[in-house]
C-alpha cells in the first residue's frame, strides 16, 4: 500500500472509530440537511405533491437508519432492484434499521398519502418493491438471523436473503423451506407463499411461520401468530405485502442434511417430449422427501436441453433406489446426481448474472401434463439462451393444507409452470416481452391460477386467484389497511 493510500485509510478508520453509526452513515451518504431541497413526489392516487425540506429533515432525524433522496451518495445504488428492466426513481428511500424506523416511515407516508413500496430482498420480478416518486421502505439493513437450535426456530430480519438464513440454520444442521436462489429475499418470498426444494417435505415457507412482527398502516407494531391476531396471521400466509410491513419473521426449522442427494440430468432437446412425459409421471408419484423440477433451458454452466433437477432429503439409500427410473432414461448429456451439501444445492442457480439483466415471467399452476400441454412444449416452444420454461414441483406437504386453511389457495397442484425471458441488456425489450407472452399463450389454457410472487397481477386476476379466500382477505385488508397504503403488490383492495 502506498503511503498516501495508507494515510487515507487510516483517516477513514479513525473517523469510523470516533463517530456514532448515524454520523458515519452521513459521511458515506451525505447529510440530509446539507443536500436536500424540496423533493417532488407522487401520492397513492397518482397526483403530484412536494416533500418539503423541513419535513424531510425532521423525518431523517427521527430514524436510526438513513434517508436518501435524489442527489445523495448511495441513492442510485439503493434504488436498484434485481430486475434490471425496472428503473424507477423514488422521491425518498428510508433505509430502516428496526420496527421503530418502519413505524415512522409508515406514518410519514400515510400522513402525506405518499405512494409506498416495501423492499425486502428487492427480487420482485415485476418490480413492486420500488416506485417512481414515492417512498421506498428499504428493509435491507435489518438482516440479522438468530437460530435457537433447541427450539428449532429462527428469528429473521426482513432484509435477510435466503442464503444468509440457510447459512446460519445449516450451522446447526437445520433448515426451512426457502427459494432456490440464495440471493432472493426471505420476506417477499414468504409472504406470497415460498416454494423451494423443501416445500414438498415441510410445506411452503409461509407454512413454517411461527410468528411475525408487523407494522400496519396506522403505524402500530403488532405481534401476529396463531394465537395473537390469528386472522392477520392467516392472511400473511400468501396474501403478500398487502397488510403492513413485517419487521421480523419467526420460522420453524427442521433437521436437513448437511448432505442431500441432489443434482441434474440433462437430455438433448430432441428428446424433450419423452422427458416431459416421464417427468409428469415421476413428479406425480414422488414421495414428499423428493423434489423434482423440470427445465427446458440452459442449466447454469451447462448445455441447452431438457433438464431434470432432483433434491432428496430423506435416507440416501432409499433416495438412490428412487433414482433408478431416472438412470433408465437413456444416456444424458450430463449427470451430476450425488451426495451434495444442502447449501450448495441452494446456491446452484446463483450464477445467474445479476445486473443489468432484463427479466420477464409468466407463470401458472398445473395439475398434470395433458397431451395438449406436452405437444405445445415439445413441438411449439423453442427454448434458447434467452427463453426457457421451468416447472417447480409442488404437492406433498404443500397439499396437506386445504384451499382455505391459509390465504395461499393453490394447494392441490403438481407444479408451477413458468415461461421465462432473460436478456442481458435493455435492447429489444418489447420484442422479448412479446415472445414470452406468445410462448405463454401456447400453454396458459392448461393452468389454473398463478403464484402472486412471480406474475404481474392486476386487480381482476388477483381477485380470482385467491378463490374462496378473497372475501376474507378483503375484510382483513379493510381492517388493517383501509386506505390501501400498501398497494404495490398483488393488490387486494379494501372492501368499499
Ligand atoms: C432469481 C429469483 C429466484 C426466485 N426463486 C424463487 C423460488 O425458488 N421460490 C419462490 O417461491 N419464489 C422465487 N422467486 C420469486 C420470489 O418469491 C419473489 O420475487 C419475492 O417477491 C422475492 O422476495 P424479496 O423480499 O426479494 O422481494 P422484494 O422485491 O423486496 O419484495 C417483493 C414484495 O414483497 C412485499 N414485501 C417484501 N418485504 C416485505 C415486508 N417485510 N413486509 C411486507 N411486505 C413485504 C412487498 O409487497 C414487495 O413489493 C424468485 C425470484 C427471483 C428474482
Amino acid at each position: 500500500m502506498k503511503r498516501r493510500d495508507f494515510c487515507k485509510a487510516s483517516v477513514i478508520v479513525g473517523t469510523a472509530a470516533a463517530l456514532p453509526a448515524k454520523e458515519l452513515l452521513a459521511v458515506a451518504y451525505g447529510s440530509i440537511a446539507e443536500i436536500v431541497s424540496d423533493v417532488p413526489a407522487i401520492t397513492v392516487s397518482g397526483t403530484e405533491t412536494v416533500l418539503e425540506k423541513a419535513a424531510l429533515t425532521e423525518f431523517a432525524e427521527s430514524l436510526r437508519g438513513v434517508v436518501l433522496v435524489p442527489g445523495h451518495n448511495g441513492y442510485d445504488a439503493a434504488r436498484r432492484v434485481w430486475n434490471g428492466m425496472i428503473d424507477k426513481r423514488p422521491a425518498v428511500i428510508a433505509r430502516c434499521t428496526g420496527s421503530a424506523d418502519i413505524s415512522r416511515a409508515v406514518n410519514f407516508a400515510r400522513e402525506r398519502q405518499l405512494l409506498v413500496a416495501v423492499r425486502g430482498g428487492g427480487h420482485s420480478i415485476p418490480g413492486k418493491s420500488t416506485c417512481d416518486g414515492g417512498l421506498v421502505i428499504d428493509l435491507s439493513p435489518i438482516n440479522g438471523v438468530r437460530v435457537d437450535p433447541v427450539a428449532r426456530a429462527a428469528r429473521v430480519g426482513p432484509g435477510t436473503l435466503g442464503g444468509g438464513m440457510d447459512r446460519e440454520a445449516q450451522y446447526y444442521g437445520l433448515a426451512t423451506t426457502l427459494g432456490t436462489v440464495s440471493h432472493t429475499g426471505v420476506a417477499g418470498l414468504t409472504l406470497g407463499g415460498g416454494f423451494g426444494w423443501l416445500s414438498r417435505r415441510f410445506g411452503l415457507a409461509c407454512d413454517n411461520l411461527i410468528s411475525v412482527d408487523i407494522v400496519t398502516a396506522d403505524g402500530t407494531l403488532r405481534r401476529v401468530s396463531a394465537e395473537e391476531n390469528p386472522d392477520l396471521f392467516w392472511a400473511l400466509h400468501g396474501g403478500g405485502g398487502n397488510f403492513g410491513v413485517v419487521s421480523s419473521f419467526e420460522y420453524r426449522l427442521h433437521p436437513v442434511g448437511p448432505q442431500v442427494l441432489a443434482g441434474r440430468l440433462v437430455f438433448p432437446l430432441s428428446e424433450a417430449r419423452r422427458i416431459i412425459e416421464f417427468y409428469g409421471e415421476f413428479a406425480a408419484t414422488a414421495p414428499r422427501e423428493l423434489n423434482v423440477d423440470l427445465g427446458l433451458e440452459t442449466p447454469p454452466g451447462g448445455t441447452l436441453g431438457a433438464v431434470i433437477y432432483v433434491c432428496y432429503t430423506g435416507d440416501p439409500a432409499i433416495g438412490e433406489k428412487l433414482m433408478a427410473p431416472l438412470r433408465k432414461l437413456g444416456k444424458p448429456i450430463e449427470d451430476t446426481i450425488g451426495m451434495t451439501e444442502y447449501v450448495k444445492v441452494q446456491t446452484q442457480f446463483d450464477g445467474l448474472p445479476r445486473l443489468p439483466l432484463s427479466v420477464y415471467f409468466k407463470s401458472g399452476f398445473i395439475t398434470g401434463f395433458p397431451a395438449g400441454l406436452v405437444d405445445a412444449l415439445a413441438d411449439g416452444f423453442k427454448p434458447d439462451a434467452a427463453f426457457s420454461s421451468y416447472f417447480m414441483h409442488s404437492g406433498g406437504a404443500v397439499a396437506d393444507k386445504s384451499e382455505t386453511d391459509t390465504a395461499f389457495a393453490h394447494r392441490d397442484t403438481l407444479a408451477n409452470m413458468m415461461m421465462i425471458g432473460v436478456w442481458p441488456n435493455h435492447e429489444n425489450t418489447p420484442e422479448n416481452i412479446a415472445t414470452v407472452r406468445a410462448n405463454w399463450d401456447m400453454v396458459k389454457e392448461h393452468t389454473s391460477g398463478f403464484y402472486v410472487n412471480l406474475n404481474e397481477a392486476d386487480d381482476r386476476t388477483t381477485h380470482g386467484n385467491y378463490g374462496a379466500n378473497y372475501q376474507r382477505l378483503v375484510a382483513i385488508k379493510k381492517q388493517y389497511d383501509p386506505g390501501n397504503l400498501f398497494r404495490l403488490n398483488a393488490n387486494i383492495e379494501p372492501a368499499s
Side-chain angles (χ1 to χ4, degrees), residues 424-479:
N425 49 43
H426 309 313
E427 286 164 19
N428 305 323
T429 290
E431 294 84 345
N432 289 338
I433 289 176
T435 302
V436 175
R437 289 187 174 151
N439 289 335
W440 183 244
D441 284 344
M442 290 192 284
V443 297
K444 69 178 180 197
E445 66 177 286
H446 303 287
T447 64
S448 149
F450 63 89
Y451 181 30
V452 292
N453 276 7
L454 292 182
N455 279 28
E456 283 174 319
D458 59 41
D459 297 337
R460 193 168 33 82
T461 55
T462 303
H463 183 157
N465 196 48
Y466 281 107
N469 297 330
Y470 190 69
Q471 288 313 326
R472 186 173 172 193
L473 285 165
V474 167
I476 297 169
K477 175 79 172 178
K478 188 175 185 182
Q479 186 180 349

Side-chain angles (χ1 to χ4, degrees), residues 231-242:
D231 254 20
L232 191 48
F233 194 53
W234 174 88
L236 293 173
H237 285 66
N242 271 288

Side-chain angles (χ1 to χ4, degrees), residues 186-235:
V186 300
L189 180 127
T190 302
L191 294 170
F195 286 89
W197 299 114
L198 302 181
S199 42
R200 286 174 48 77
R201 185 156 180 209
F202 301 121
L204 299 171
C206 68
D207 297 335
N208 287 285
L209 283 175
I210 300 169
S211 71
V212 304
D213 293 346
I214 186 170
V215 176
T216 47
D218 59 358
T220 304
L221 175 65
R222 299 168 200 267
R223 190 177 158 80
V224 180
S225 68
E227 288 76 38
E228 290 174 82
N229 301 302
D231 254 20
L232 191 48
F233 194 53
W234 174 88

Side-chain angles (χ1 to χ4, degrees), residues 195-398:
F195 286 89
W197 299 114
L198 302 181
S199 42
R200 286 174 48 77
R201 185 156 180 209
F202 301 121
L204 299 171
C206 68
D207 297 335
N208 287 285
L209 283 175
I210 300 169
S211 71
V212 304
D213 293 346
I214 186 170
V215 176
T216 47
D218 59 358
T220 304
L221 175 65
R222 299 168 200 267
R223 190 177 158 80
V224 180
S225 68
E227 288 76 38
E228 290 174 82
N229 301 302
D231 254 20
L232 191 48
F233 194 53
W234 174 88
L236 293 173
H237 285 66
N242 271 288
F243 306 98
V245 185
V246 173
S247 60
S248 176
F249 293 87
E250 188 186 7
Y251 293 90
R252 195 172 300 115
L253 301 176
H254 314 270
V256 172
Q259 298 262 318
V260 297
L261 184 62
R264 70 190 187 210
L265 294 173
V266 184
F267 294 91
L269 259 192
S270 55
E271 294 179 35
R273 174 178 291 276
R274 188 171 70 86
I275 300 303
I276 296 164
E277 284 171 345
F278 169 85
Y279 175 78
E281 295 283 315
F282 191 66
T285 52
R288 58 185 56 203
E289 293 83 3
L290 177 59
N291 190 105
V292 203
D293 287 0
L294 172 70
L296 303 172
E297 61 166 10
T298 307
T303 313
L304 178 66
V307 190
I308 293 180
Y309 295 92
V310 297
C311 177
Y312 178 78
T313 56
D315 176 347
I318 297 175
E320 276 301 341
K321 287 189 190 139
L322 287 165
M323 297 302 121
L326 293 171
R327 306 283 189 212
K328 288 186 197 141
L329 262 177
K331 196 167 163 35
I333 305 171
E334 192 190 353
D335 176 353
T336 67
I337 297 175
M339 293 306 289
T340 315
E341 279 175 38
Y342 175 69
V343 286
K344 286 205 175 136
V345 179
Q346 284 291 79
T347 50
Q348 66 182 304
F349 298 126
D350 283 12
L352 208 67
R354 293 187 63 171
L355 289 167
L357 284 179
S358 293
V359 184
Y360 188 75
F361 266 61
K362 287 297 220 184
S363 75
F365 292 107
I366 57 168
T367 52
F369 285 83
L373 177 56
V374 176
D375 289 347
L377 290 166
D379 302 333
F381 176 55
K382 306 286 177 222
D384 62 20
F387 301 103
S388 59
S389 184
Y390 193 88
F391 297 79
M392 197 172 240
H393 201 180
S394 186
V398 178

Side-chain angles (χ1 to χ4, degrees), residues 82 118 120-124 129 139 180 185 187-189 195 244 246 392 451 453:
W82 179 79
V118 180
H123 272 44
S124 163
S129 46
L139 306 165
T180 56
L189 180 127
F195 286 89
V246 173
M392 197 172 240
Y451 181 30
N453 276 7

